Amino acid sequence: MYRYDEFDHAFVAARVSQFTDQVERRLAGEISEDAFKPIRLMNGVYLQLHAYMHRVAIPYGTLHPRQLRKLAYIARTYDRGYGHFTTRQNIQYNWPKLSDIPAILKELAEVEMHSIQTSGNCIRNVTADHFAGAAADEVTDPRPYAEILRQWSTLHPEFSYLPRKFKIAVTAAERDRAAIQTYDIGMQVKKNDEGQLGFAVWIGGGQGRTPLLAKKFKDFVPEADLLSYVTAIMRVYNLHGRRDNKFKARIKILVHEAGVEKLGAEIDAEWAHLKDGELKLPAEELAAINAYFAPPDLAPRAEGWGELAAWKKSDPGFSDWVGRNVVPHRHPDYAMVTVSLKPIGGIPGDATAEQMEAVARLAEEYGHDEIRVTHEQNLVLPHIALADLEPVYRALLAEGLATANVGLITDIIACPGLDYCALANARSIPLAQGISNRFADPARQAEIGDLKIKISGCINACGHHHVGHIGILGVEKKGAELYQISLGGSADENASIGDILGRGFEPDQVTDAVETIVEVYLANRSAASEPFIDCYRRIGAAPFKTALYGDRARAA
């Protein structure tokens, strides 16, 4: 992972000092809340329902054990003993005191972390495939490009006050594990016919009030032109993005209204002025950044194959965990382990300080000092020898972190909802817990197979409900919570926006509705191997509507 140099350390220290002074002035009443709001947002501080919320950046989802330990220490010292990992590969603390946030920032700076641009109308944390650098199907590690974009975008004088927040995601595999079509800019690293590295570029994705998938603007932008092309996009957006209406301010609206051809021509015209100038990436700088992300030296561990087979045979629980939470590594003697933060009945994405410390220990002992955060609110140990899977499993089991449900119906994405968020209309957490408890039986989860449920407590869609196989949106109607269900969404390389089924459901009806949807799927799938999303795309919404709404659905 990237290591700070002298400039980085000085830069972050100056930012901490600056915000410390701003907080002190706010607490003394020298700055009004209206004046302080844009300042605190650019430093990741929100004012929520009951307390401040502090969002910490985890660039491209990569953590060193010492960083995860520091996050645990902050949770224990300045919060209530836990943190919440988000769909943006960040971590949030829900209960810090404003007076403590300068101290938190100083703690973060000690381990090369910060909260800069985790909110505000700027380029936010750049995200990436959580298996980057370990997956066999990628053409190269995409994280160096994410790091280049992070350095370029941090306090960029042109792009610090955009019409609206802006998000970028990068992957380097045909299988999209980074949900790039849901981002303002999504990039896939690829090779052209000559074997040269470059980027396919999608622009204009986003969820929220108007969910839209990004459109492909370029099939191949050469590697050296990364910053010049992204700068061209940003300049055109900064010029035309709506500043008079925040609901129409995202680049997705500009793409939708102007169209790919017209907007692409304007971006290309701007790019023509930039591409051969100072923004062209020098080969030596690319090599220097890539060196930070050199893969660990993985010694051959062929003995793991026999040991793994024996362990699986002797322990069904271990076998189930390997089947769901462990996937092949590019090195045949190693695997990538997903640590589920979705225990049955738990709060999706939450981890206690003790659990974070346990994962840090495992990364040090078995995982070559690497941890990843996924956009699906789990953690990953990306370099675990097959021979070490059994002790890793035992350690996770002792901490309540060995739930074998990755990709299953209980591996639910959920935003904090009305339990915390001032923007929310409805609760998300109790719904996730209720659904998780209803489908707790591992055999039933296995029978259902891959099924992604995503829950948002308001139209801002922080729970990504638009791209859930089953998406649940909480709304407010006549002072009460109501939940709208959509089906058929997906965030992978075959991305789609879900179809809204019909009228909403009251809170105590939602779990039953999900069960009805599952039963319709099981009754209609062509084979036990047909996933929910494939079945839905084949049979459409009608059978699900009929089961949920009866004659009213048929009449409609």
Side-chain angles (χ1 to χ4, degrees), residues 121-190:
N121 292 336
C122 55
I123 298 172
R124 304 277 187 94
N125 189 39
V126 180
T127 62
D129 180 356
H130 47 268
F131 291 153
D137 61 344
E138 63 182 11
V139 299
T140 189
D141 189 336
R143 293 175 300 158
Y145 305 109
E147 173 59 26
I148 289 168
L149 289 166
R150 183 195 71 81
Q151 293 188 21
W152 162 83
S153 64
T154 302
L155 300 191
H156 194 297
E158 275 190 81
F159 309 134
S160 289
Y161 295 95
L162 295 166
R164 197 73 171 86
K165 59 186 176 180
F166 205 94
K167 303 172 183 179
I168 302 174
V170 188
T171 189
E174 288 293 335
R175 184 180 178 189
D176 182 8
R177 293 178 289 263
I180 64 173
Q181 292 183 60
T182 68
Y183 279 75
D184 298 285
I185 296 177
M187 311 187 83
Q188 180 196 351
V189 188
K190 59 188 297 187

Side-chain angles (χ1 to χ4, degrees), residues 305-478:
W305 287 93
E307 293 174 358
L308 176 61
W311 289 328
K312 288 171 69 176
K313 186 175 181 179
S314 65
D315 187 339
F318 173 76
S319 181
D320 289 344
W321 177 78
V322 170
R324 289 310 313 185
N325 294 32
V326 178
V327 295
H329 191 281
R330 65 172 58 201
H331 190 300
D333 297 341
Y334 288 76
M336 300 179 287
V337 173
T338 298
V339 179
S340 173
L341 299 183
K342 319 290 178 58
I344 299 302
I347 299 174
D350 278 12
T352 66
E354 293 75 20
Q355 288 175 326
M356 288 187 246
E357 288 166 341
V359 174
R361 286 195 301 272
L362 290 172
E364 287 174 330
E365 187 170 356
Y366 301 107
H368 298 269
D369 291 333
E370 283 198 45
I371 304 123
R372 307 288 173 77
V373 183
T374 81
H375 81 274
E376 295 183 324
Q377 298 178 291
N378 292 316
L379 301 178
V380 168
L381 296 167
H383 310 293
I384 302 295
L386 300 182
D388 293 329
L389 284 175
E390 198 271 346
V392 167
Y393 170 72
R394 297 294 169 208
L396 291 173
L397 191 65
E399 298 294 338
L401 292 170
T403 308
N405 65 345
V406 172
L408 297 177
I409 192 169
T410 60
D411 185 13
I412 298 167
I413 289 178
C415 71
L418 195 55
D419 286 303
Y420 296 99
C421 183
L423 300 176
N425 303 117
R427 293 168 296 168
S428 300
I429 293 170
L431 261 66
Q433 293 172 310
I435 295 167
S436 178
N437 283 320
R438 176 70 64 87
F439 293 94
D441 179 15
R444 192 170 186 215
Q445 292 185 60
E447 178 193 16
I448 296 165
D450 292 342
L451 203 168
K452 296 182 183 295
I453 296 180
K454 305 182 182 185
I455 306 172
S456 299
C458 78
I459 198 64
N460 287 297
C462 294
H464 293 191
H465 68 277
H466 293 298
V467 290
H469 297 165
I470 300 176
I472 302 172
L473 167 64
V475 299
E476 183 273 331
K477 187 172 183 181
K478 297 180 180 179

